[in-house]
Amino acid sequence: MTASSTASRTLPILDAHGAVDHAAGAERFTADVDRTTWHDGALWFVREKRDRGAASVPEWERLRDLASAIKSHTLSRLDEYLERFERRATARGIQVHWARDGAEHNEIVLGILAARGARRLVKSKSMLTEECGLNAHLERHGIEVVDTDLGERIVQLRNEPPSHIVMPAIHLKKEEIGATFHEKLGTPAGLADPDALTAAARRHLRERFLGADAAMTGVNFAIAETGGVVVITNEGNADLGTALAPVYIASMGIEKLIPRAADLGVFLRLLARSATGQASSVYASHVHGPRPGQAMHVVLVDNGRSTQLGRGDFWGSLKCIRCAACLNTCPVYRRSGGYSYGSTIPGPIGSVLTPGLDVRKYAALPFASTLCGSCSAVCPVKVDLDQQLYRWRQLVMAAGGAPPLKRWWLRAMGGVLADPALLQLAGRVARGMLRVLPPRLARRLAGGWGTGRALPEPPRGSFRDWVRANRPGRS
């Protein structure tokens, strides 16, 4: 893949408007009614599998408590555990690098590849490298990057970013994938059989694995006690890449640490069930050093995580193990698609993490939620996502991140709700208007909320009136 071919591998809503306009992105996604329905149903199917997987483990809630406690402890002593990890990893022959941000990460990886004369890199799925924009950076320097996770490869061939952190191509139908493979890989026109398409991808990727100069993976967990890393996949692509290439680079956010190998089992039991409903992922590979003759590097990336750790209201978001359970259950994500968030990490966890990078640019994201709390209920490490989204809304409003009309309207509504007499008057006016206005005009006055909804039959009186009439003495 050339540099020019990946020029559009960016998030369209972000580029189109500067500041992310989630509502505009959602409107574009929902314009395709069939896709929206299918996307919603596919993700809810995964959510139900997750529920069955969780129900099969009697001690599920105890595991969630343990995982949350382990992550809280680790984050409270993150500096100590990072240094311990570096010492143990170095002793095992792993070269450890530190990157303050995405740009530094990309330069470190480029430097490692340049020092070995590597021109072809195979990469397993890593949202961190998406976050850092690594592919485009390497390709600008003439290095071919091939994503080897099937879903990731599909969106790479289409010059698109992932729309989901576990299922990158969940927004695509098999017929669209077949058309992409026909154009890029030469499969027969009209081929849409998933098994046949997978076989074609396997043949295509095998050549890249065998010809790679270097392999790269993300990291699911790094263990401070041993200095090793754990990489989890269902396809085995990370294992094949690292087993063949003479150079192996693992990039990880600094929050991926756990203290001991004994802690790992807690997370392995939670991760796959929360992500896809599987009892276990197919491959959970432990890497404790380079193979003979191989060079192994681990790049520890901050890129805003230390700042997030210092935020009293939001440090808990760093417990996230990227299972995507919150995406799969979120009614807004399911019906608006991943691209509407304009962020590498979409959904509830992305709406908590991303505003910390630029609160004005991502001011819309904390409002892309119903605050129903379903995300917090399924989170395997008990991140209080709905509470953090609510707190971000307060900060966005305080920072002037909402449109003037919306700020005025919310202030006005706050005044009405705080004054009982004014609230009763507003209720009478609203009921009167609902009785006399044509339904279409009433829905338009209700704004976006009223679009597509049938407004209720206006009651004769308020709830207070009903109580006075039916419960004397209790008004």
Side-chain angles (χ1 to χ4, degrees):
M1 177 170 282
T2 65
S4 60
S5 68
T6 59
S8 62
R9 191 177 158 82
T10 53
L11 296 159
I13 302 303
L14 179 66
D15 281 359
H17 302 287
V20 169
D21 188 343
H22 177 266
E27 185 174 8
R28 187 159 66 182
F29 185 78
T30 55
D32 187 337
V33 175
D34 289 342
R35 187 186 302 277
T36 304
T37 302
W38 171 81
H39 189 263
D40 179 33
L43 289 167
W44 189 249
F45 174 76
V46 178
R47 158 65 203 269
E48 290 182 323
K49 283 183 66 182
R50 173 264 171 207
D51 291 348
R52 291 193 292 273
S56 69
V57 181
E59 65 273 26
W60 181 258
E61 291 304 318
R62 175 62 178 152
L63 286 173
R64 291 179 72 207
D65 288 336
L66 268 175
S68 181
I70 292 168
K71 279 290 188 178
S72 293
H73 166 77
T74 309
L75 291 169
S76 72
R77 300 172 59 184
L78 187 58
D79 54 341
E80 298 175 27
Y81 284 123
L82 282 168
E83 290 178 355
R84 186 178 304 174
F85 171 81
E86 181 184 32
R87 288 195 300 272
R88 302 291 164 80
T90 301
R92 291 178 177 276
I94 301 171
Q95 299 178 56
V96 178
H97 310 259
W98 299 78
R100 282 170 293 196
D101 53 29
E104 198 164 282
H105 164 265
N106 295 345
E107 282 301 316
I108 289 170
V109 174
L110 178 62
I112 294 169
L113 297 176
R116 296 293 297 255
R119 310 301 297 176
R120 297 180 296 271
L121 175 70
V122 288
K123 184 162 73 66
S124 72
K125 187 163 69 64
S126 161
M127 295 310 295
L128 176 62
T129 60
E130 295 286 345
E131 173 186 322
C132 296
L134 178 68
N135 284 20
H137 181 76
L138 294 181
E139 288 161 0
R140 281 196 294 272
H141 290 82
I143 294 174
E144 179 192 66
V145 183
V146 175
D147 284 303
T148 58
D149 171 271
L150 179 57
E152 189 87 357
R153 184 57 176 158
I154 290 168
V155 294
Q156 187 183 31
L157 288 172
R158 295 171 59 89
N159 296 331
E160 296 175 352
S163 71
H164 187 284
I165 61 176
V166 172
M167 298 171 282
I170 188 66
H171 60 293
L172 297 173
K173 299 179 180 179
K174 60 184 180 181
E175 291 79 12
E176 294 171 315
I177 296 169
T180 299
F181 278 23
H182 172 64
E183 178 187 353
K184 303 291 184 180
L185 306 184
T187 56
L191 180 65
D193 176 67
D195 291 337
L197 293 174
T198 302
R202 185 180 294 117
R203 290 191 295 273
H204 160 72
L205 288 172
R206 184 175 296 136
E207 298 174 6
R208 271 64 184 177
F209 280 120
L210 293 173
D213 301 314
M216 187 169 189
T217 72
V219 172
N220 292 92
F221 302 99
I223 303 171
E225 176 186 50
T226 65
V229 299
V230 180
V231 182
I232 298 172
T233 69
N234 277 324
E235 300 170 17
N237 53 314
D239 304 77
L240 185 56
T242 57
L244 293 173
V247 180
Y248 169 35
I249 306 169
S251 285
M252 58 173 274
I254 57 175
E255 82 283 12
K256 292 296 183 73
L257 272 182
I258 57 174
R260 307 170 304 164
D263 300 322
L264 184 62
V266 175
F267 295 96
L268 293 182
R269 298 188 72 192
L270 290 167
L271 179 59
R273 289 181 174 90
S274 298
T276 59
Q278 296 169 264
S280 174
S281 299
V282 179
Y283 298 92
S285 303
H286 301 237
V287 186
H288 290 99
R291 291 181 289 104
Q294 184 187 50
M296 178 176 173
H297 302 259
V298 172
V299 187
L300 301 170
V301 185
D302 187 319
N303 202 34
R305 288 161 174 78
S306 293
T307 303
Q308 187 80 340
L309 185 60
R311 294 186 172 113
D313 293 320
F314 304 110
W315 68 270
S317 61
L318 295 175
K319 296 179 187 176
C320 175
I321 57 174
R322 301 292 192 273
C323 68
C326 62
L327 279 68
N328 301 337
T329 198
C330 177
V332 176
Y333 174 84
R334 295 200 318 268
R335 295 176 178 86
S336 62
Y339 294 154
S340 63
Y341 292 80
S343 164
T344 303
I345 309 292
I349 184 62
S351 298
V352 166
L353 292 171
T354 314
L357 301 176
D358 187 331
V359 70
R360 286 191 173 273
K361 179 174 288 187
Y362 300 105
L365 297 190
F367 297 90
S369 168
T370 64
L371 296 184
C372 65
S374 183
C375 48
S376 301
V378 300
C379 177
V381 289
K382 292 197 165 182
V383 178
D384 57 343
L385 288 162
D386 58 321
Q387 295 301 311
Q388 295 190 35
L389 287 167
Y390 178 58
R391 181 61 181 143
W392 266 123
R393 290 186 182 187
Q394 295 173 317
L395 296 179
V396 167
M397 295 301 293
L405 180 59
K406 186 171 186 175
R407 292 202 301 272
W408 176 87
W409 179 250
L410 289 176
R411 277 198 301 271
M413 285 300 298
V416 170
L417 293 172
D419 187 327
L422 199 55
L423 179 60
Q424 291 178 52
L425 175 62
R428 282 197 293 272
V429 171
R431 288 191 296 276
M433 292 179 67
L434 278 175
R435 277 193 288 271
V436 300
L437 290 177
R440 179 175 293 183
L441 178 58
R443 286 199 300 273
R444 290 195 64 178
L445 290 176
W449 185 88
T451 304
R453 283 183 169 86
L455 296 181
E457 188 73 21
R460 293 182 178 179
S462 68
F463 180 67
R464 178 187 291 270
D465 296 334
W466 183 90
V467 171
R468 283 174 174 163
N470 296 278
R471 299 287 190 274
R474 297 187 62 182
S475 59

